[in-house]
Amino acid sequence: MSDRNQDTAGEARAMAKAEAAGAPITRGSLARELRELGVVGGMLLNVHSALSSLGWVVGGAQAVVDALLEVLGPNGTLAMPTHSSQLTDPANWGHPPAPEAWWAHIRAEMPAYDPACTPTRAMGAIPECFRNYPGVLRSDHPQTSHAALGLKASLLTAEHPLDDLFGDGSPIGQLYALDGHVLLIGVDHGNNTCLHLAEARADFPGKQRHKEGAPIRIAGEQRWQPFEPIQVSDDDFPALGEAFAATGLETRGALGQATARLMRVRDVVDFALPWLEANRGQAAKQDQP
């Protein structure tokens, strides 16, 4: 079956499921459910999403973005991670790995990061749609950028040091400082990039920096720029997230056919920091004499 036929078959299944439920999912129905969940005008909202989890949406990703912007209103700010993991050091690639003989060619020929042009990778249809909206600002990090639109967009995206992927100097750090919220649409905390801020702040066995690099432009010229960020992992984030949900500080509700989760960035990060310090690296702790 061709890719086109596979896409059509998937859409047909989603449409049949929506028909069985009695009505399609629309911008208006999504806006109503967002308000019921607790999203309000003026909020700074960081969204992680899986479009397919919503079911068949009239207008697809654009309708979802429009519904979010409608509810947040003119004084709100919508933000999404717009990562581009294709602009990483090929020496670190594993899915799939790049032949070592190619590494120098890849570093030399990979197009430099451009906030306006560089596509997202493995982030889903909604953030890829959102980054192209008029007026959207995008942070200047070749691998872990954030995009934002609204009142606080410039504050969120102005600074993003190369070696600070998710720490206090990154847009995630600004989400915390500005008392933003996180909305997970059809995904769990394994996709919650805000937890990496707690990871950056926490002290646990095995925490270290690693060698990275990316193609960037400096003074109009492209160069391969090495840097050493903290090694991050989201392997334990789903378990961390379920422990956080048990505190009652996370609101869950329906959004289309998906489950959505809403919470304050400060609540989940402040919970995650001691959780990571207590739980991460347990094997390393037990091996210590």
Side-chain angles (χ1 to χ4, degrees), residues 33-116:
E33 290 176 334
L34 285 166
R35 293 187 177 99
E36 291 171 353
L37 185 67
V39 180
V40 298
M43 186 177 276
L44 167 56
L45 188 65
N46 191 50
V47 176
H48 304 73
S49 58
L51 178 62
S52 61
S53 71
L54 290 165
W56 192 77
V57 180
V58 179
Q62 181 180 350
V64 180
V65 175
D66 287 348
L68 287 162
L69 292 172
E70 176 186 329
V71 176
L72 293 173
N75 295 320
T77 304
L78 179 60
M80 298 186 196
T82 49
H83 300 173
S84 43
S85 58
Q86 68 273 26
L87 303 189
T88 50
D89 193 331
N92 299 330
W93 291 359
H95 304 287
E100 186 172 355
W102 293 6
W103 292 356
H105 299 289
I106 292 171
R107 291 173 184 142
E109 298 296 336
M110 184 183 292
Y113 175 70
D114 184 330

Side-chain angles (χ1 to χ4, degrees), residues 35-255:
R35 293 187 177 99
E36 291 171 353
L37 185 67
V39 180
V40 298
M43 186 177 276
L44 167 56
L45 188 65
N46 191 50
V47 176
H48 304 73
S49 58
L51 178 62
S52 61
S53 71
L54 290 165
W56 192 77
V57 180
V58 179
Q62 181 180 350
V64 180
V65 175
D66 287 348
L68 287 162
L69 292 172
E70 176 186 329
V71 176
L72 293 173
N75 295 320
T77 304
L78 179 60
M80 298 186 196
T82 49
H83 300 173
S84 43
S85 58
Q86 68 273 26
L87 303 189
T88 50
D89 193 331
N92 299 330
W93 291 359
H95 304 287
E100 186 172 355
W102 293 6
W103 292 356
H105 299 289
I106 292 171
R107 291 173 184 142
E109 298 296 336
M110 184 183 292
Y113 175 70
D114 184 330
C117 300
T118 299
T120 61
R121 181 175 185 268
M123 300 303 296
I126 295 173
E128 178 61 19
C129 176
F130 174 63
R131 76 168 182 87
N132 288 290
Y133 265 53
V136 165
L137 303 179
R138 191 176 180 189
S139 67
D140 198 22
H141 198 286
Q143 297 173 358
T144 59
S145 65
H146 245 75
L149 179 63
L151 194 65
K152 297 177 180 177
S154 60
L155 293 173
L156 197 70
T157 60
E159 301 291 336
H160 202 161
L162 267 178
D163 60 356
D164 193 6
L165 305 183
F166 304 110
D168 285 289
S170 74
I172 300 296
Q174 284 299 307
L175 281 166
Y176 184 97
L178 296 169
D179 198 16
H181 284 71
V182 182
L183 177 64
L184 306 177
I185 301 175
V187 297
D188 64 20
H189 285 272
N191 294 81
N192 188 353
T193 55
C194 292
L195 295 177
H196 288 301
L197 175 59
E199 184 180 34
R201 292 176 173 179
D203 183 18
F204 51 83
K207 185 175 183 179
Q208 61 184 349
R209 294 185 177 272
H210 73 289
K211 293 183 178 180
E212 253 301 348
I216 63 173
R217 288 194 176 277
I218 298 178
E221 294 188 2
Q222 178 167 329
R223 71 169 63 172
W224 182 263
Q225 182 64 46
F227 58 100
E228 295 190 9
I230 293 171
Q231 181 72 53
V232 299
S233 172
D234 55 17
D235 291 348
D236 51 4
F237 284 5
L240 192 170
E242 290 309 306
F244 171 73
T247 67
L249 295 174
E250 174 183 296
T251 301
R252 294 191 188 185
L255 191 63

Side-chain angles (χ1 to χ4, degrees), residues 204-205 274-288:
F204 51 83
W275 190 97
L276 287 168
E277 291 185 335
N279 292 281
R280 184 171 284 190
Q282 286 299 315
K285 290 179 183 178
Q286 293 169 2
D287 290 342
Q288 292 177 355

